[in-house]
């Protein structure tokens, strides 16, 4: 079955789907995006993702290309046309196409909206949950507005590739004081030796992950002891468990950091119990 992408009002074969060469997303990374999980034909946490999209747009002083109701119709249509039961949709809004000039384009420039969807075999995530992943740490080198889900992801791309080149699967940003920030495309959690679940505050310095927010709900329902506070790379190495959260891998255990084994080198039980309860607690929207 051929994939279909939505581009500015049209549903197009994926291979023909394109934006203008002077699109500001292409020229300046002048755009924002969302990635949302689809599980068992249900969209996970759609409201929170669209709320965050609105926030990202407003921080960049960009208008939304359509209201929420219309946007939801298009998202569902893209998922249906691609017959996605398990997978993701990707949504990107840019400030539109205009003759290259750093200043904002004329106010009547239409924003660009692209929505794609793809199926992902759930067994891929399951394997990661069973084995855990290896990560490296990298020095924080991003701008200080990473709370905006902007498409400007060059540092993240370089960090991920550096991880791959080092035989690991992902990278974690550490600031100059040794504080753990977040992963290159996920938030980081630890379980301390005395059993507290810790993740850093999301007021600044990281993206406020939607999965992170819902995992806080899950943790409350499981009556886990949660601390939203900073922790260091050293704390992470001494942790009982370390894991990532993101829309593409609910709760992924980390078993090795910079070649050093975490705990006994096996995924822990806190991550798996959160994962088991996650889907029940998350908001679910039918396709
Ligand atoms: N990334 N931090 C960063 C830098 C991210 O890019 C992401 C998500 C997260 C987790 O956010 P959420 O729980 O809302 O997915 C944290 C997506 C999945 C991506 O870029 O593909």
């Amino acid at each position: 079955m051929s994939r279909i992408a939505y581009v500015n009002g049209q549903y197009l074969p994926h291979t023909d789907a394109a934006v203008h060469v002077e699109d500001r997303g292409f020229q300046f990374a002048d755009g924002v995006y969302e990635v949302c999980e689809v599980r068992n034909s249900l969209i996970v946490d759609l409201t929170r993702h669209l709320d965050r999209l609105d926030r990202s747009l407003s921080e960049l002083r960009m208008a939304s290309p359509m209201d929420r109701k219309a946007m939801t119709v298009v998202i569902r249509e893209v998922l249906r046309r691609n017959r996605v039961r398990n997978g993701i949709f990707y949504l990107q809004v840019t400030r539109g196409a205009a003759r290259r000039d750093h200043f904002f384009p004329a106010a009547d420039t239409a924003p660009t909206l692209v929505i794609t969807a793809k199926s992902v075999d759930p067994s891929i995530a399951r394997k990661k949950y069973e084995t855990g992943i290896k990560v490296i740490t990298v020095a924080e080198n991003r701008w200080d507005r990473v709370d905006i889900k902007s498409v400007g992801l060059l540092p993240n791309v370089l960090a991920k590739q550096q991880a791959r080149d080092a035989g690991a699967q992902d990278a974690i940003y550490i600031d100059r004081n040794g504080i753990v920030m977040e992963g290159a495309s996920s938030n980081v959690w630890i379980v301390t030796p005395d059993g507290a679940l810790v993740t850093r505050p999301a007021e600044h310095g990281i993206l406020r992950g939607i999965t992170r927010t819902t995992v806080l709900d899950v943790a409350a329902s499981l009556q886990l002891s949660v601390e939203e506070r900073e922790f260091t790379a050293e704390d992470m190495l001494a942790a009982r468990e370390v894991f990532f959260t993101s829309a593409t891998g609910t709760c992924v255990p980390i078993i090795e950091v910079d070649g050093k084994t975490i705990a006994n080198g096996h995924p822990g039980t806190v991550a798996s119990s959160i994962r088991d309860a996650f889907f029940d607690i998350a908001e679910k929207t039918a396709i």
Side-chain angles (χ1 to χ4, degrees):
M1 191 201 72
S2 57
R3 284 177 69 194
I4 302 292
Y6 173 91
V7 184
N8 294 331
Q10 288 185 291
Y11 296 91
L12 300 167
H14 201 263
T15 44
D16 302 335
V19 295
H20 196 271
V21 288
E22 288 199 299
D23 192 275
R24 291 180 65 93
F26 178 60
Q27 298 273 2
F28 297 114
D30 191 3
V32 299
Y33 75 107
E34 282 296 328
V35 176
C36 199
E37 186 195 2
V38 175
R39 203 190 293 189
N40 302 342
S41 302
L42 297 166
I43 305 171
V44 178
D45 283 331
L46 181 62
T47 305
R48 282 176 172 168
H49 280 278
L50 294 181
D51 285 347
R52 185 172 64 186
L53 177 68
D54 285 344
R55 177 182 182 277
S56 295
L57 288 168
S58 96
E59 291 298 311
L60 297 188
R61 294 157 59 194
M62 280 168 56
S64 183
M66 57 178 70
D67 68 29
R68 186 170 293 212
K69 217 169 145 199
M71 185 93 89
T72 304
V73 168
V74 178
I75 290 167
R76 293 163 87 194
E77 187 61 26
V78 172
L79 289 168
R80 274 200 296 265
R81 288 189 188 220
N82 288 283
R83 301 205 189 121
V84 174
R85 303 170 77 83
N86 292 288
I88 55 145
F89 74 78
Y90 174 87
L91 183 160
Q92 180 173 330
V93 183
T94 79
R95 211 182 301 274
R99 190 186 159 116
R100 188 178 183 278
D101 185 355
H102 292 67
F103 298 105
F104 287 180
D108 62 355
T109 306
T112 297
L113 173 61
V114 172
I115 303 177
T116 58
K118 68 174 179 189
S119 297
V120 180
D121 181 352
S123 72
I124 297 169
R126 263 203 304 275
K127 184 153 183 290
K128 270 191 193 174
Y129 301 152
E130 278 162 23
T131 59
I133 62 164
K134 298 175 182 178
V135 305
I136 61 165
T137 58
V138 293
E140 179 63 275
N141 61 355
R142 301 174 298 163
W143 72 327
D144 66 2
R145 292 310 311 277
V146 293
D147 57 298
I148 301 169
K149 201 163 172 58
S150 121
V151 295
L153 292 173
L154 184 55
N156 313 56
V157 166
L158 295 176
K160 287 243 192 196
Q161 189 59 39
Q162 190 182 330
R164 177 170 287 180
D165 294 345
Q169 284 106 312
D170 217 319
I172 291 179
Y173 288 108
I174 311 290
D175 82 356
R176 63 180 65 195
N177 300 313
I179 303 293
V180 173
M181 304 303 282
E182 62 180 334
S185 61
S186 52
N187 294 122
V188 181
W189 301 69
I190 60 170
V191 179
T192 63
D194 52 9
L197 180 59
V198 183
T199 196
R200 60 159 290 130
E203 272 60 50
H204 58 84
I206 62 166
L207 182 76
R208 187 185 291 277
I210 302 306
T211 320
R212 175 189 180 283
T213 302
T214 300
V215 165
L216 287 170
D217 296 343
V218 173
S221 86
L222 296 177
Q223 297 181 310
L224 301 175
S225 124
V226 179
E227 297 169 13
E228 270 188 88
R229 61 163 173 86
E230 291 185 341
F231 57 94
T232 64
E234 251 173 55
D235 296 331
M236 181 165 67
L237 291 174
R240 219 192 255 177
E241 288 182 39
V242 182
F243 60 87
F244 275 151
T245 58
S246 81
T248 47
T250 316
C251 201
V252 176
I254 294 166
I255 52 157
E256 201 180 288
V257 178
D258 292 332
K260 297 179 194 101
T261 304
I262 302 299
N264 63 2
H266 295 287
T269 53
V270 175
S272 65
S273 50
I274 290 173
R275 222 167 34 235
D276 290 346
F278 182 86
F279 191 58
D280 279 345
I281 290 190
E283 179 202 43
K284 295 165 285 288
T285 307
I287 296 172

